[in-house]
C-alpha cells in the first residue's frame, strides 16, 4: 500500500476493505519520506494510529511484492518490484493539477518510465474516462479498467446507518447542515472561512446542527493545531468538526443539506441524493467537461447577501430524489464490490471470495464542545428561538437576551448575560450575587427548570425541553408580565408559576 497523503490513505483503505477476513493476504504500508508531496504531512502519524506494518521506501523498493496499490501517480512507482494498481483518490478524474491542464491521476510524465507504462492496471470509475486517459497518455489507455468507485460503494451500503451517524453528530431531530471543503485558495475554507460562524449565528440552535468536513490537505498543509485554533470560536458555539480520517462520509450521509465547493465531496453528496448548495464560484482546477463541472452548473449557488437559512431550507424543499442521477451516471458506472474484487484477486493470481462486500463507513467522531452562551428571543413568527452567541450575528429578536453557563462561558459572555445558568438549583442565589447584572439565575429540575429573580422569588416551568430554553421562556414571561404559552421542540410548556 503506497501512501502519499492522507487523502490517498483514506482511498486505499476503501480499496483494501475488500480483503477483510482473507488470511491469504498480508498488507504492508510504505510512504516515501525522502521525497514527500506538498500535502504529505500527517501520514506517519496516521499510520501509527492505524497500526499496520509500515516499512521504509528503500525496503519496499528492495522487496518483491505480489501487488502494490497506489492512489497517486506522483511517487516513483517504477522503483517498486510489483505489479501496480493505480486508483483515483477522488471520484474519478475531475481536477487539473494547479496551474496546468494536466489531469490529476493522468500525468504522462509519471505514468510512463523509460518508455514503459508503469501501472499494470489503471482504475477508472467510468468508461468515458478512457478517452480522457488516451488524450493525456495514449500508451496507458490499454491498461485502464473500469471498477466504479469504492468510496461511493461504501457510502451506498451504509445509507441504512444514517440514524446512527446522526446520533454520533448529536443531531436529534434537527436539520443537519454539513459543510464540505476541499483544499486551496478556491475552496470553501479558503474563500469563506467565516461561513461556519455565520451559519451558527443565523440557524436556530434547536432546529439545526452544523458539521464541517475539511479535505485532508487542509489538515496537512496547516496542521491540526492550527485548524482547531482557527475554528475555535465555531467549535465553542457548537460546530461539529469531523476529522478527515474519522467519518467524513458519514457526515455527508447524515446531512439534510450539503454546502460544498467544487470538490469530490459535492459529487459524493449528489451520488447519495443529498441537496447540494455550491458555496464558491467555479474553480479553475475543475476539468471543464467533467461531471463535477456539470454538477456545479446544475445545483443552486449560495448567494451572498441573501438569508442563509432561507437558501438552505429552499434547497431542501426544492430537491427532488433522483435529480442528480444523470450527472452521477456520467461519473460512476454501476459499481459493485465484485468488479474491484475481480481485478484485485486477478492481479494477485488468487481466487476471489464467493460474495465480496464492502463494509460500512466509520461513524463520525467529531471534535465538538457544548455551546456555553446563547442569545434568545421571540422571532417574527412569534416563536421563542435561541442561537449560539457568536459575534452578535443572530437575527433581530424581540425580548432579546443573553444566557451564559456559569462554569463554561467566557468572562465577556457572563458580563453580558441577562440569565446565568448552572447545573444545581442550590447555586442560584450565589449566581445572582456573583453576576449582579443578570436578572435571572436558572438551573434544571426534574421535568423542567427553576429560575430565581433578583428579588429572590423562585419560579418553575415544566416541559420536556432543554432547561436552558425553558430559562429563556421564563425570562420572556417575566419581562412581558403576561403568560407566553407555546411549544418548545413540540412539547407544551406550562405557565410560569411562583413558589
Amino acid at each position: 500500500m503506497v501512501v502519499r497523503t492522507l487523502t490517498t490513505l483514506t482511498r486505499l483503505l476503501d480499496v483494501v476493505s475488500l480483503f477483510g477476513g482473507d488470511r491469504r493476504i498480508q498488507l504492508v504500508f510504505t510512504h516515501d519520506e525522502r521525497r514527500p508531496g506538498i500535502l504529505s504531512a500527517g501520514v506517519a502519524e496516521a499510520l501509527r494510529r492505524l497500526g499496520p506494518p509500515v516499512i521504509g521506501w528503500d525496503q519496499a523498493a528492495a522487496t518483491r511484492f505480489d501487488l502494490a496499490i497506489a492512489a497517486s501517480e506522483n511517487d516513483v512507482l517504477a522503483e517498486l518490484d510489483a505489479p501496480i494498481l493505480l486508483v483515483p483518490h477522488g471520484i474519478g478524474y475531475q481536477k487539473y493539477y494547479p496551474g496546468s491542464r494536466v489531469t490529476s491521476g493522468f500525468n504522462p510524465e509519471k505514468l510512463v518510465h523509460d518508455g514503459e507504462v508503469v501501472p499494470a492496471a489503471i482504475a477508472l470509475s467510468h468508461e468515458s474516462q478512457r478517452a480522457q486517459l488516451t488524450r493525456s497518455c495514449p500508451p496507458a489507455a490499454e491498461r485502464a479498467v473500469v471498477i466504479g468507485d469504492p468510496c461511493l460503494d461504501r457510502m451506498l451500503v451504509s445509507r441504512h446507518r444514517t440514524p446512527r451517524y446522526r446520533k454520533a453528530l448529536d443531531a436529534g431531530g434537527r436539520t443537519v447542515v454539513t459543510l464540505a471543503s476541499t483544499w486551496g485558495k478556491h475552496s470553501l475554507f479558503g474563500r469563506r472561512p467565516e461561513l461556519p460562524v455565520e451559519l451558527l449565528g443565523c440557524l436556530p440552535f434547536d432546529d439545526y446542527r452544523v458539521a464541517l468536513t475539511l479535505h485532508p490537505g487542509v489538515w496537512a498543509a496547516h496542521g491540526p493545531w492550527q485548524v482547531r485554533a482557527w475554528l475555535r470560536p465555531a467549535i465553542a458555539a457548537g460546530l461539529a468538526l469531523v476529522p478527515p480520517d474519522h467519518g467524513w462520509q458519514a457526515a455527508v450521509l447524515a446531512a439534510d443539506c450539503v454546502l460544498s465547493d467544487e470538490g469530490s465531496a459535492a459529487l459524493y453528496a449528489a451520488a447519495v441524493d443529498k441537496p447540494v448548495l455550491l458555496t464558491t464560484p467555479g474553480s479553475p482546477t475543475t476539468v471543464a467537461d467533467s461531471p463535477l463541472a456539470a454538477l456545479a452548473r446544475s445545483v443552486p449557488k449560495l448567494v451572498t447577501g441573501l438569508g442563509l437559512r432561507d437558501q438552505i431550507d429552499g434547497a431542501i424543499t426544492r430537491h427532488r430524489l433522483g435529480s442528480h442521477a444523470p450527472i452521477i451516471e456520467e461519473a460512476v458506472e454501476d459499481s459493485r464490490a465484485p468488479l474491484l474484487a475481480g481485478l484485485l484477486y486477478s492481479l494477485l493470481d488468487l481466487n476471489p471470495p464467493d460474495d465480496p462486500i464492502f463494509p460500512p463507513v466509520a461513524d463520525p467522531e467529531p471534535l465538538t464542545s457544548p455551546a456555553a452562551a446563547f442569545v434568545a428571543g421571540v422571532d417574527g413568527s412569534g416563536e421563542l428561538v435561541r442561537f449560539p452567541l457568536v459575534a452578535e450575528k443572530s437575527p433581530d429578536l424581540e425580548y432579546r437576551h443573553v444566557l451564559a453557563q456559569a462554569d463554561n462561558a467566557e468572562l465577556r459572555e457572563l458580563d453580558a448575560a441577562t440569565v446565568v445558568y448552572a447545573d444545581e438549583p442550590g447555586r442560584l442565589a450565589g449566581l445572582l450575587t456573583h453576576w449582579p447584572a443578570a436578572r435571572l439565575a436558572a438551573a434544571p429540575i426534574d421535568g423542567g427548570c427553576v429560575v430565581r429573580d433578583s428579588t429572590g422569588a423562585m419560579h418553575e416551568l415544566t416541559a420536556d425541553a432543554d432547561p436552558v430554553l425553558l430559562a429563556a421562556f421564563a425570562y420572556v414571561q417575566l419581562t412581558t408580565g403576561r403568560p407566553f404559552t407555546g411549544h418548545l421542540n413540540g412539547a407544551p410548556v406550562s405557565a410560569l408559576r411562583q413558589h
Side-chain angles (χ1 to χ4, degrees):
M1 313 306 299
V2 184
V3 183
R4 185 164 181 82
T5 64
L6 291 176
T7 307
T8 63
L9 175 59
T10 58
R11 180 49 48 96
L12 292 172
L13 293 176
D14 287 332
V15 172
V16 300
S17 66
L18 286 176
F19 289 147
D22 194 332
R23 293 186 298 276
R24 298 173 296 174
I25 297 171
Q26 166 72 58
L27 298 178
V28 179
F29 289 69
T30 189
H31 61 108
D32 192 346
E33 292 182 308
R34 292 187 290 107
R35 294 167 291 194
I38 60 172
L39 299 178
S40 293
V43 167
E45 294 80 0
L47 287 172
R48 279 195 292 271
R49 290 194 301 270
L50 190 64
V54 179
I55 61 176
W57 183 264
D58 290 342
Q59 182 181 352
T63 305
R64 171 66 186 176
F65 285 92
D66 296 295
L67 178 63
I69 307 176
S72 169
E73 77 274 38
N74 289 314
D75 282 308
V76 189
L77 300 177
E79 294 183 354
L80 300 177
D81 184 11
I84 295 167
L85 169 61
L86 181 64
V87 300
H89 57 263
I91 185 166
Y93 301 87
Q94 313 285 336
K95 290 289 185 176
Y96 298 121
Y97 284 106
S100 77
R101 281 297 178 264
V102 176
T103 301
S104 178
F106 289 163
N107 187 346
E109 296 182 0
K110 303 293 185 179
L111 294 178
V112 177
H113 179 76
D114 287 343
E116 298 291 332
V117 177
V118 176
I122 300 172
L124 310 179
S125 65
H126 193 279
E127 179 62 34
S128 64
Q129 294 157 12
R130 191 183 302 273
Q132 192 179 359
L133 176 58
T134 300
R135 291 192 297 270
S136 295
C137 185
E142 64 182 24
R143 305 286 178 90
V145 182
V146 178
I147 64 160
D149 186 280
C151 177
L152 176 58
D153 289 337
R154 293 191 66 190
M155 293 177 73
L156 291 174
V157 301
S158 305
R159 286 180 294 183
H160 67 287
R161 292 194 173 198
T162 295
R164 169 177 174 155
Y165 300 147
R166 290 177 60 88
K167 183 177 180 181
L169 291 174
D170 192 26
R174 295 181 286 178
T175 297
V176 175
V177 179
T178 296
L179 288 79
S181 177
T182 186
W183 65 280
K185 64 182 180 180
H186 301 291
S187 69
L188 183 160
F189 194 54
R191 284 181 166 173
R192 299 197 63 174
E194 76 289 346
L195 187 57
V197 166
E198 289 184 4
L199 288 172
L200 292 162
C202 73
L203 299 177
F205 179 83
D206 298 285
D207 298 323
Y208 295 85
R209 179 66 160 141
V210 180
L212 171 64
T213 71
L214 297 172
H215 188 281
V218 178
W219 297 83
H222 303 290
W225 178 88
Q226 183 64 76
V227 171
R228 292 192 297 267
W230 280 336
L231 290 168
R232 187 190 66 80
I235 295 169
L239 176 72
L241 176 61
V242 180
D245 54 347
H246 287 85
W248 72 264
Q249 300 101 319
V252 170
L253 287 168
D256 295 288
C257 185
V258 175
L259 278 59
S260 180
D261 51 28
E262 283 188 19
S264 287
L267 267 178
Y268 283 119
V272 294
D273 220 350
K274 299 294 181 179
V276 177
L277 263 173
L278 209 66
T279 60
T280 59
S283 170
T285 62
T286 301
V287 174
D289 58 351
S290 66
L292 180 57
L295 181 73
R297 291 190 296 268
S298 70
V299 299
K301 313 301 186 292
L302 201 65
V303 180
T304 303
L306 298 183
L308 292 173
R309 182 182 182 183
D310 288 343
Q311 293 184 72
I312 291 168
D313 290 348
I316 295 171
T317 301
R318 289 189 296 270
H319 178 65
R320 296 293 176 263
L321 293 178
S323 59
H324 301 309
I327 293 173
I328 300 305
E329 288 168 1
E330 295 300 315
V332 183
E333 291 193 22
D334 185 23
S335 183
R336 296 182 303 274
L339 289 174
L340 178 56
L343 175 60
L344 291 170
Y345 281 90
S346 173
L347 291 168
L348 287 166
D349 196 23
L350 291 173
N351 293 322
D354 291 335
D355 187 23
I357 57 173
F358 284 105
V361 301
D363 293 351
E365 298 180 12
L367 174 64
T368 188
S369 175
F374 297 92
V375 57
V378 180
D379 65 14
S381 66
E383 293 293 323
L384 179 66
V385 292
R386 61 172 167 162
F387 304 85
L389 183 62
V390 282
E392 303 295 317
K393 291 183 179 293
S394 61
D396 291 335
L397 299 170
E398 192 176 9
Y399 309 114
R400 187 182 188 281
H401 58 286
V402 171
L403 305 98
Q405 211 283 336
D407 302 317
N408 298 322
E410 296 183 3
L411 182 60
R412 59 184 177 84
E413 295 168 336
L414 286 160
D415 284 339
T418 305
V419 179
V420 179
Y421 59 94
D423 295 331
E424 301 171 3
R427 297 179 59 188
L428 297 186
L431 291 179
L432 290 175
T433 300
H434 194 76
W435 305 105
R439 294 184 55 187
L440 295 178
I445 57 173
D446 289 341
C449 171
V450 60
V451 298
R452 180 186 178 104
D453 64 29
S454 56
T455 70
M458 303 286 286
H459 312 265
E460 283 186 10
L461 273 175
T462 57
D464 183 17
D466 189 313
V468 179
L469 197 57
L470 287 176
F473 201 98
Y475 170 78
V476 173
Q477 285 204 25
L478 291 170
T479 299
T480 61
R482 59 180 174 81
F484 179 76
T485 59
H487 291 75
L488 296 178
N489 296 335
V493 184
S494 70
L496 186 70
R497 63 179 184 273
Q498 185 171 341
H499 71 91

